[in-house]
């Protein structure tokens, strides 16, 4: 009944927008999602008076995906993709934690000319990127869903789940922000992607389109970046039974306020696949860009380097692997003396077993180290953890 009602709504909407000239069938609507859970034993160094030798229950990737897609009479493919993210605290009264919000919402048109996307979603640099493989269900070292490292921020209000050093080789300057993107058709294995974001918001599609909102501190309360351009190029092909994937990207933006610099991101990645093995890695660098605690911010002299490498083997329902990620804060100027040459290393070992119907059970072993390398106050915090992960996609 639900699918019938959704289909009827799409049909009525199509009629209102386009009139009776359109004879195409209504777009097909599907509803799915995923949840990743884990139970971990953690043995970590204390940070001040805070003890992290404990157990942990992780509940991440709480998404409901609503998709509508159909082929029109003229051959074009049209669709809408909406990602509803559930809050992390069911009892909270605030919007971000206590309720469900659309993290992404965008429409697209695809045909022989390529593909256009417009709305709140990730850009071309993000979507076309290759990196170290994930082999634990729902988790990996590059942009981890579950991270068990600690640092000297572990005893603060940010909590141990907020590392001070960047743990991602993906372009995150305008992730989930309202943008327009174009992807060319893939020719001889190559594809080009371009994205433009007027304002780099971090809470998904928030503008209602009724007014022009001024670019000031009350509006951009999470960053001060606008006019973000992304260009990405990747290649996918097979040589002698070896699957090859390679990409490179560049992202630039403007700081809204003086003193922010002009943030930039560079990166490239590669995957090689053969006989069930996948070897992958990536490198990333940013300038005049801060990304901490889930927020991108234009900041003069802020800089980071991240690289990762991993190996995965899959056979039947089984997947095993090992991966490593190294992140370093290379900020200069006044930030350099405050950042203390911070570094982070993460090693992950484990695998998963597919039980069927989108249900995966995995073992996740992590070793993480966070260091401050200042000569007068050199500190290091290490964490070892192991857990069982249950990931369900529906």
């Amino acid at each position: 009944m639900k699918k019938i009602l959704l289909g009827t709504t799409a049909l009525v909407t199509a009629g209102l927008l386009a009139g009776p000239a359109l004879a195409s069938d209504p777009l097909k609507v599907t509803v799915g999602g995923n949840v990743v859970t884990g139970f971990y034993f953690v043995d970590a160094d204390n940070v001040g008076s805070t003890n992290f030798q404990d157990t942990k229950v992780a509940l991440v990737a709480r998404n409901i995906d609503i998709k509508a897609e159909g082929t029109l009479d003229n051959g074009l493919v049209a669709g809408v993709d909406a990602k509803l993210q559930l809050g992390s605290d069911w009892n909270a009264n605030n919007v971000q934690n206590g309720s469900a919000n659309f993290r992404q919402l965008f429409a697209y048109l695809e045909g022989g000319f390529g593909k256009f996307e417009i709305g709140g979603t990730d850009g071309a640099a993000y979507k076309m990127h290759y990196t170290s493989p994930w082999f634990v269900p729902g988790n990996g070292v590059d942009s981890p869903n579950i991270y068990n490292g600690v640092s000297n921020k572990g005893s603060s209000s940010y909590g141990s789940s907020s590392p001070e050093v960047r743990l991602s080789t993906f372009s995150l300057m305008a992730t989930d922000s309202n943008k327009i993107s174009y992807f060319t058709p893939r020719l001889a294995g190559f594809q080009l992607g371009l994205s433009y974001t007027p304002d780099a918001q971090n809470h998904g599609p928030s503008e209602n389109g009724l007014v022009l909102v001024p670019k000031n501190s009350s509006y951009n309360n999470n960053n001060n970046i606008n006019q973000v351009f992304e260009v990405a190029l990747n290649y996918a092909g097979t040589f002698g039974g070896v699957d090859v994937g390679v990409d490179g990207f560049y992202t630039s933006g403007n700081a809204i306020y003086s003193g922010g610099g002009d943030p930039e991101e560079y990166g490239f990645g590669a995957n090689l696949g053969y006989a069930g093995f996948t070897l992958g890695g990536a490198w990333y660098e940013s300038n005049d860009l801060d990304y901490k605690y889930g927020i991108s911010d234009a900041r003069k002299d802020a800089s980071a380097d991240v690289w990762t490498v991993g190996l995965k083997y899959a056979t039947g329902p089984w997947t095993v692997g090992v991966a490593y990620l190294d992140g370093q804060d290379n900020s200069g100027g006044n930030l350099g003396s405050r950042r203390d040459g911070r570094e982070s290393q993460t090693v992950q070992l484990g695998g998963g077993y597919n039980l069927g119907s989108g249900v995966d059970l995995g073992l996740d072993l992590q070793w993480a180290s966070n260091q401050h390398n200042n000569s007068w106050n050199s500190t290091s915090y290490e964490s070892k953890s192991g857990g069982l992960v249950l990931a369900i996609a529906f």
Side-chain angles (χ1 to χ4, degrees):
M1 178 61 70
K2 182 181 294 185
K3 288 188 177 180
I4 294 175
L5 290 174
L6 289 172
T8 304
T9 302
L11 178 60
V12 172
T13 303
L16 290 174
L17 292 177
L22 266 182
S24 303
D25 292 332
L27 305 187
K28 181 180 179 181
V29 178
T30 59
V31 179
N34 62 85
V35 173
V36 178
T37 63
F39 178 69
Y40 288 82
F41 293 94
V42 181
D43 180 10
D45 293 338
N46 294 346
V47 180
S49 60
T50 305
N51 187 331
F52 291 103
Q53 298 182 14
D54 206 346
T55 55
K56 171 182 177 178
V57 173
L59 178 60
V60 297
R62 306 169 296 272
N63 298 320
I64 303 296
D65 299 319
I66 306 171
K67 297 182 179 181
E69 184 179 273
T71 302
L72 308 180
D73 288 344
N74 56 17
L76 293 179
V77 176
V80 172
D81 196 326
K83 186 178 293 294
L84 189 66
Q85 187 170 56
L86 306 181
S88 59
D89 184 353
W90 318 121
N91 296 315
N93 292 320
N94 63 74
V95 173
Q96 293 181 27
N97 291 328
S99 61
N101 301 278
F102 279 108
R103 180 181 161 214
Q104 294 188 4
L105 176 60
F106 66 99
Y108 58 89
L109 279 176
E110 186 172 7
F113 55 82
K115 184 177 183 180
F116 279 101
E117 296 180 350
I118 184 166
T121 184
D122 299 315
Y126 185 103
K127 292 185 174 181
M128 300 176 68
H129 186 49
Y130 290 96
T131 185
S132 55
W134 282 24
F135 41 84
V136 173
N139 199 34
V141 295
D142 194 345
S143 306
N145 277 326
I146 304 173
Y147 176 71
N148 296 326
V150 298
S151 67
N152 73 340
K153 288 292 185 183
S155 58
S156 75
S157 60
Y158 291 111
S160 61
S161 61
S162 300
E164 294 177 272
V165 181
R166 184 186 176 101
L167 300 177
S168 177
T169 67
F170 287 81
S171 172
L172 302 175
M173 190 187 302
T175 182
D176 295 344
S177 304
N178 284 347
K179 60 174 59 66
I180 182 170
S181 298
Y182 169 67
F183 302 87
T184 67
R186 191 170 293 278
L187 301 174
F190 289 94
Q191 185 178 40
L192 177 70
L194 304 169
S195 295
Y196 169 67
T197 304
D199 296 287
Q201 293 296 293
N202 284 285
H203 293 306
S206 56
E207 295 86 350
N208 59 19
L210 299 179
V211 295
L212 289 176
V213 183
K215 302 173 179 63
N216 54 39
S217 58
S218 63
Y219 175 62
N220 291 75
N221 58 352
N222 294 299
N223 54 55
N224 62 348
I225 306 172
N226 66 4
Q227 308 297 324
V228 178
F229 291 90
E230 303 177 40
V231 56
L233 178 69
N234 73 9
Y235 172 82
T238 302
F239 295 93
V242 178
D243 296 324
V244 179
V246 182
D247 83 278
F249 67 82
Y250 172 73
T251 304
S252 67
N254 295 327
I256 296 176
Y257 311 115
S258 60
D262 292 321
E264 295 179 311
E265 295 178 298
Y266 314 82
F268 64 82
N271 273 188
L272 298 175
Y274 180 76
F277 288 92
T278 301
L279 175 65
W283 171 87
Y284 168 93
E285 180 180 329
S286 64
N287 297 309
D288 293 338
L289 180 70
D290 239 357
Y291 184 81
K292 293 186 177 182
Y293 320 120
I295 297 173
S296 289
D297 184 44
R299 183 169 297 182
K300 185 68 174 176
D301 296 324
S303 175
D305 287 331
V306 186
W307 65 273
T308 179
V309 64
L311 178 65
K312 176 181 76 171
Y313 176 70
T315 177
W318 292 95
T319 303
V320 295
V322 60
Y324 173 81
L325 182 136
D326 185 287
Q328 183 166 346
D329 191 319
N330 293 323
S331 299
N334 293 330
L335 288 177
S337 60
R338 290 161 48 193
R339 297 292 173 81
D340 304 335
R342 295 169 186 173
E343 294 183 71
S344 178
Q345 295 88 32
T346 308
V347 176
Q348 184 185 39
L349 177 68
Y353 181 81
N354 180 255
L355 299 173
S357 300
V359 180
D360 292 275
L361 186 65
L363 174 65
D364 187 8
L365 304 177
Q366 297 182 30
W367 174 83
S369 176
N370 288 280
Q371 304 101 34
H372 287 199
N373 296 325
N374 191 293
S375 59
W376 57 267
N377 186 25
S378 179
T379 55
S380 178
Y381 305 95
E382 294 188 357
S383 170
K384 299 179 287 294
S385 64
L388 291 176
V389 177
L390 177 62
I392 299 179
F394 53 92

